[in-house]
Amino acid sequence: MDFFRGDDKRAVEAKEEAQKIAWAPFVFQTAKALKALGILKIVDQAGEEGYTTEQVAHHSNISRYGARVLLEAGLGSHIFYLTSDDKFALSKTGFFILRDEMTNVTMNFVNDVCYQGLYYLQDAIINQKPEGLKVFGEWDTVYEALNDLPPDARESWYAFDHYFSDVAFSEVIPRVLKHKPRMIYDVGGNTGEFTEQIIQADHHVKVTLIDLPGQIRTAKEKLNGQLDNRVYFHPIDLRDQEASFPTGADTIWMSQFLDCFSEEEITSILQRAKGALTDDGNLHIMETFWDRQRFEAGAFSLQQLSLYFTTIANGNSQMYHSKVMINCLHEAGFYVEEDIDQVGIGHTLLTCRKKR
C-alpha cells in the first residue's frame, strides 16, 4: 500500500485541499440537506437536461433562496454540474450520495452518532477519555449506552456496524466450520448475527455468546426461538482484566471486536482467550485494517473512523494497522496460521493458533 508515501502536490493543489478541509463541515451538511429535502432526487429525475433554480424550488416546495444556496454549494462540492444552458444536473458523486447504501449508512452514522461529539476531540485526546459521549449522557463507553441512545443514533450505530460486518459472514463461516468445531465462543457477539448464521449453517455446533450484559439482552431477544439448547450466554466486561472466559472452546471468533480496545487491553483479552482455548483450537479474528485496503478511500475512511473511538466510543482504541494487531497476538502467545485480505468490504481474516 503506497497511498500515503511522498508529497507530490503542487502548492496550488495543496492549498486547494486545505480549503476543502476547512469547509468540510459545510460540505457534509449541504449533502445531508440536499438529500433530506428531496433535492437530489428531484434533480436526478431531470436527467442530463437538468433543472433551473426556480424549477428545483417549485418541485421541492422550498424558497428560491434556499434552493439557490444549496444548489450552488452542491455545485462547488461536485454534487452537481452545470449543463450547457446553466441548469443543474446530478453528478456521479451526487448519484452515490443519493443511492449508494455504503455512503448513506456512513453519513447517517457520522451525523447521528459522531457529529456533535467530535467537537470534543481535542479534550478526548488530552484527557484520554471519550469526552464527546457526554452529548448523549454520562457513560464511560458507548457500548454500555447503546440501549439508551436516542432512537436515530441507536439505529444508525447498529446499521453502520452490521453493514460492514454482516456482508462478510457468509464468506468466512465455511472457513470457521472447516475444522468441525464443537464449541465456538462468539466474543463481542453484539446482537447475535454471527451466532444466528453459524448455528443455521451447522446444526451440531454450539455457541457461547460473550459480551456486555446489555448486548446479551439484545442478542437473547433476537435469537428467541432459535436457541435449541445450542446457544449459551456469558455476560462479561472484558475491560476488567480479572474477568475470565469460560473454558472449553475449540474455536474463538472475534469480529470487529478488538478495535474497541487499546493495545494493552487487546493483549490482555487475547491472553485470556488463549487460556480458554483448547490446545489445538483456532482463534479467528476479522478486522478492517487501514493498511490492507484496496482503495485509498477505504484507508482514509478507517483512519477517520478511529476518531469516533477516540471521542465517542471509549477514548483509547482505533482502527489499527495490521502490524499492531499481529504484534498483540504474538505477545499474547499466538501465531498467525492464515492471513486473508479482501474479505467482505475490506476485511482481513486472521486464523491463529497457540504457540507451542
Side-chain angles (χ1 to χ4, degrees), residues 113 130 133 139-146 149 157 308 312-314:
V113 179
L133 185 56
W139 294 282
D140 292 331
T141 71
V142 75
Y143 312 109
E144 59 203 84
L146 281 177
L149 291 178
W157 191 97
Y308 147 77
I312 306 292
N314 53 47

Side-chain angles (χ1 to χ4, degrees), residues 225-236:
Q226 303 182 58
L227 305 185
D228 194 27
N229 297 319
R230 293 196 293 135
V231 179
Y232 307 90
F233 300 93
H234 187 80
I236 190 173

Side-chain angles (χ1 to χ4, degrees), residues 150-168:
D152 286 349
R154 184 170 63 251
E155 181 179 343
S156 294
W157 191 97
Y158 278 116
F160 184 82
D161 181 70
H162 288 312
Y163 179 82
F164 287 96
S165 61
D166 293 1
V167 70

Side-chain angles (χ1 to χ4, degrees), residues 36-102:
L37 293 170
I39 294 174
L40 293 183
K41 187 175 182 179
I42 289 166
V43 176
D44 182 43
Q45 290 171 342
E48 295 182 358
E49 182 179 338
Y51 268 154
T52 63
T53 300
E54 290 75 12
Q55 287 172 311
V56 170
H58 171 74
H59 288 295
S60 62
N61 199 30
I62 63 173
S63 70
R64 182 171 177 271
Y65 164 77
R68 184 174 67 231
V69 294
L70 286 174
L71 288 167
E72 291 176 357
L75 185 67
S77 307
H78 301 290
I79 296 171
F80 305 115
Y81 66 92
L82 290 176
T83 65
S84 59
D85 54 352
D86 287 340
K87 294 179 180 178
F88 294 89
L90 195 69
S91 71
K92 295 183 182 70
T93 298
F95 172 86
F96 283 109
I97 293 172
L98 175 62
R99 301 191 182 277
D100 179 57
E101 185 179 6
M102 180 192 296

Side-chain angles (χ1 to χ4, degrees), residues 335-351:
Y335 69 93
V336 178
E337 182 178 67
E338 192 173 32
D339 185 334
I340 304 172
D341 288 330
Q342 303 310 317
V343 176
I345 305 176
H347 288 79
T348 295
L349 179 65
L350 301 176
T351 298

Side-chain angles (χ1 to χ4, degrees), residues 306-322:
S306 287
L307 302 180
Y308 147 77
F309 288 101
T310 305
T311 313
I312 306 292
N314 53 47
N316 65 1
S317 76
Q318 66 173 108
M319 304 306 296
Y320 288 99
H321 190 290
S322 62

Side-chain angles (χ1 to χ4, degrees), residues 1 3 11 16-17 34 43 46 56 58 61 146 154 156-157 177 181 210-211 222 257 268 281 296 305 340 349:
M1 183 200 69
F3 301 138
E16 182 178 347
E17 287 298 309
L34 286 166
V43 176
V56 170
H58 171 74
N61 199 30
L146 281 177
R154 184 170 63 251
S156 294
W157 191 97
L177 293 175
I210 299 173
D211 211 325
K222 176 180 176 60
F257 171 69
S268 171
E296 183 175 349
L305 180 57
I340 304 172
L349 179 65

